[in-house]
Amino acid sequence: MYIDFNDTICAPATTPGTGAISVIRVSGEKALEIADKVVSCKPLRARQGSRSGSATDSSSSDCPVGNGQLSSTPGYTVRFGTVHGKDGGLLDEVLVSVFHAPHSYTGEDSAEISCHASKYIVEQIMLQLMEAGARAAEPGEFTRRAFLNGKMDLAQAEAVADVIAAQSAGAHRIAMNQMKGGFSSELKEMRSRLLEIVSLMELELDFSEEEVEFADRTQLRSLVDKVTGHISKLIDSFRLGNAIKNGVPVAIAGATNTGKSTLLNALLGEERAIVSDVHGTTRDTVEETMNIDGILFRFIDTAGIRETSETVEKIGIERTWQKISQAQIILGMLDLSRPETELAESLGELLPKIGFKDQDLVLLLNKCDLISTENYNNKSVFIRNILVLFIDNKYNTKPYLVLHPNSAPLDGNDLMAGADAGKDRGITINILPVSAKRQDGIQTLKSTLASMQKDRLTGQDTTLVTNLRHIDALTHALDALTRVRSGLDTSLPTDLISQDIREALYHLGSIIGEISTDEVLGEIFGRFCIGK
């Protein structure tokens, strides 16, 4: 279907019936002219003795300014007006915000009509606007016009949707940084430097017979290394950026009947997962998100780990391993009421599945209220020894064990946190005694999770990538630059190296919209809400 992006569009920018007011946007060359046909405003009047150029609708003034039409109203002005129904009766009293091109969100003449949030009122005003010459906007069309009119680049336009969808302070911060152009400026800088080099290389081709070299190969190697390093960091940031945007994935894992589902319910404060004394009750993953101190976490209750011949349960356990591999934080559940042999077996199953270099383990010593303090301390030391031995054998270092003895009603004065090289090597394991059933230690767990994530974000002034389209483009650009570096090392002909640089420029440009197609734009803005 052909869409004319030069006509005038209108759409509700708010959901009718959910608040006191609704806002209807009108944008396009005839936006103010069409709004004049729907909204009646009195002539502007300047207050006697007021500063020159100021205006108000005050009826006490006696100096009329203009004819009352919105099209002749100065930009950044809010006008009071009335809308009448087809029968001539009053439909609503409204406020209209007036914007003149290019000083508006879309870069076009625009009006925003604030009316009462009645579905009927909104529908009637929309019908009158369309009868006056506007058409209903497509999803994301206002932001698409802002992009087409140079008000923002494509990456900034995509960030608008992320700002609206942000469910945490972290997600909001990332989206706002991208919307302000932080990510775009980095890409433009890289493209600019690469474009300068490739232009010189292509100039060499015009003088190939003279064997003139305009582009310094040493300088090009240095630039390619710097750009590929920057792109690699952006790609690596996706795991963290995506977690902040969609919720940090936290897998609750352990043997059957260790209290995983009870823990999920305790964290959420509701009976979300089925709890039973029967082993293997949870056979599929249960996921819920929760905002803790401005950070969105996505908790995943998994099937209990054990040897089984039951087909459905085996599928559930396979999904458990899959979720553990995808999680950023693993809450390892241990039932302290069980013998040490079973605790060792559970750890032996879980620990090899965790990538301690890029995943965090929080070990929860559950059901601590069922055992004595002496028994707790003995088992705690036993568990810590297993952790130290495993990390030492696999990573040739010792873990930094952070113990939280005050998170449960136990006397843990003799528990000591081990501080050694593991802290510097990045292998930290938090150990918390809890009672999921009694909800002892739950608040400490929440604080620990928030603190871990905030520590990860400390000093994160660099851009975090959260968009799959951006990651795909960055990956292709990195592949092209890797070929450039290889070509420089093997003295590949200039024209072939130049082509690879051009390919990298294309993929970087596709992120910010310097290279785009209608199909790509339709896919991106089609995910926006109506009115944005």
Side-chain angles (χ1 to χ4, degrees), residues 5 10 157 177 183 209 244 251 273 330 346 383 421 426 429 437 500 512 526:
F5 291 106
C10 61
N177 178 56
F183 181 37
E209 294 183 359
I244 295 173
I330 292 93
S346 294
I383 291 167
I429 300 175
K437 187 174 183 178
D500 285 330
I512 53 180

Side-chain angles (χ1 to χ4, degrees), residues 246-304:
N246 299 310
V248 180
V250 182
I252 306 174
T256 57
N257 267 24
T258 52
K260 300 183 297 300
S261 297
T262 304
L263 176 69
L264 178 66
N265 292 339
L267 286 166
L268 300 175
E270 61 177 273
E271 296 297 316
R272 177 64 180 83
I274 297 174
V275 176
S276 170
D277 293 333
V278 178
H279 288 264
T281 301
T282 303
R283 300 193 174 196
D284 200 355
T285 58
V286 178
E287 300 189 21
E288 283 291 342
T289 57
M290 183 180 186
N291 192 312
I292 302 175
D293 291 347
I295 301 171
L296 190 67
F297 290 89
R298 179 160 47 89
F299 292 101
I300 310 163
D301 182 20
T302 64

